[in-house]
Amino acid sequence: MENGMMNMKTPTNVTIKGILGALMASIDEEKKKRVISLGMGDPTAYSCFTTNTVVQNSVVHTLETQKFNGYSPTVGLLQTRKAISEYLSINLPYKLTEDDVYITAGCTQAIEVAISILARPNANILVPKPGFPIYELCAAFRNVEIRHYDLVPDKGWEVDLEAVDALTDENTVAIVIINPGNPCGNVYSYQHLKKIAETAKKHKILIVADEVYGHLAFGENPFVPMGVFGSMVPVLTLGSLSKRWLVPGWRLGWLVTTDPNGIFKNTKTVERIKKYFDICGGPATFIQAAVPRILEDTKEVFFTKTLCTLKQTSDICVKKIKEIPCLTCPQHPQGAMAMMVKLNVSLLKDISDDIDFCFKLAKEESVILLPGLTVGLKNWVRITFAAEPSSLEEAFDRIKTFYKRHCRQQKSQSNPI
Ligand SMILES: *Cc1c(COP(=O)(O)O)cnc(C)c1O
Ligand SMILES: *[C@@H]1O[C@H](CO)[C@@H](O)[C@H](O)[C@H]1NC(C)=O
């Protein structure tokens, strides 16, 4: 094997960015094919996923006032916290206040804070498989044990709650729920979320709800925030502007205690959160200051258009995958920006697994897909559908060509030679 990445055994020792870099490096440039990357979750690479002028002008405005060149309070600007509490309260049966909201450098830092404040000797956290590798990376850094529960592909990637029961012990502190989901494109029903909340309550663990794709739901189920069940079980809600407003580079996120019974306060969790913010800096003050306008003034039509495009591009993937025998998609995506696709290597003559598939595909066709192993599922691939429709069509045409070049001879097929 010419590439060291092919020897990769566990998903915990490599980052998505690391493996995507290795895939890019293996592209055969002599083929002179335009590179199409469906590996990374940054939609801004494609012009149909551009933010809107309201969002841009909000930032221009705050810069021009020259009032936001100084430090912000460690937990974030008051008006920003207030605006986010109001935005999230719209979908909750109770009201959050600014005291519930902490401003972070993207959802990534919110994950880092959540894991850090939960860390204690012998603690373990339940995370989904497939999942989002940042959780593993943060937990490893903080010596928190990770335990994987399965998402069930044939049940809309729902949480295997029996597995959760079996994994939980007295040292389990939290369960991470990503909804709408990356990498599966799932959107959970109210009923399923309720069952998750009941399970967490039964085991006396809290829920970390990664809702970075909040409202990015275009299928049957509407988006329901986990915080709806906040009076049953305390929830730490994580989010950001990155995905819904299409500005991942602005690094504006939040960590929110969605907990009307004040359990986080009583257990001194709030104190720990505040201490943590004393030692880490959040996003630039002028970006924070733009948030109230961004949340209030973004027109509904902007969101509708994004959802429409995501529905269209995910449909293209589903349709094109049907033409490629070695790929199947057990579940149509219902939200977010990525989907998991099953790879049947027994139909291919010289491909050993998902990593081999992705490296050869990159080399021969300049198409980048993420090997499933990096998100915990061997012989699957993650495909990001937040891409230009024409790029998706072309990518799948190339994957089909690749399949034909590598497929095993079918017995039923007559061979003239
Ligand atoms: C993109 C993503 C994040 C990180 O969000 P940022 O705001 O860009 O830091 C967190 N969780 C999931 C599931 C994501 O897909
Ligand atoms: C792979 O395809 C073969 C031939 O169609 C089929 O018999 C087999 O069950 C498939 N394997 C998986 C894991 O889907």
Side-chain angles (χ1 to χ4, degrees), residues 106-108 111 132 178 182 210 212-213 240 242-243 248 251:
C107 186
T108 305
I111 294 171
F132 189 64
I178 307 175
N182 177 12
D210 183 329
V212 75
Y213 293 100
S240 77
S242 303
K243 312 286 166 65
R251 313 309 304 130

Side-chain angles (χ1 to χ4, degrees), residues 227-288:
V228 162
F229 303 101
S231 30
M232 194 192 293
V233 56
V235 178
L236 284 178
T237 300
L238 319 182
S240 77
L241 293 184
S242 303
K243 312 286 166 65
R244 194 180 188 204
W245 285 269
L246 301 171
V247 288
W250 290 9
R251 313 309 304 130
L252 190 298
W254 50 82
L255 173 135
V256 179
T257 50
T258 322
D259 170 35
N261 299 335
I263 291 166
F264 286 129
K265 214 176 212 134
N266 297 338
T267 54
K268 300 228 159 37
T269 307
V270 166
E271 225 169 274
R272 276 170 78 80
I273 297 175
K274 284 188 183 143
K275 274 193 187 145
Y276 192 90
F277 277 90
D278 280 340
I279 54 170
C280 65
T285 311
F286 68 91
I287 303 273
Q288 294 191 39

Side-chain angles (χ1 to χ4, degrees), residues 325 328 342-347 410:
T328 46
K342 198 170 194 316
L343 175 66
N344 187 340
V345 285
S346 71
L347 297 175
Q410 300 281 307

Side-chain angles (χ1 to χ4, degrees), residues 88-94 96 189-191 193-194 197 207 209 211 223-235 237 258-260:
L88 295 176
S89 294
I90 295 170
N91 299 100
L92 295 174
Y94 50 88
L96 298 169
S189 66
Y190 179 94
Q191 281 311 323
L193 291 167
K194 188 166 173 226
I207 297 179
E211 293 175 357
F223 166 64
V224 176
M226 197 77 225
V228 162
F229 303 101
S231 30
M232 194 192 293
V233 56
V235 178
T237 300
T258 322
D259 170 35

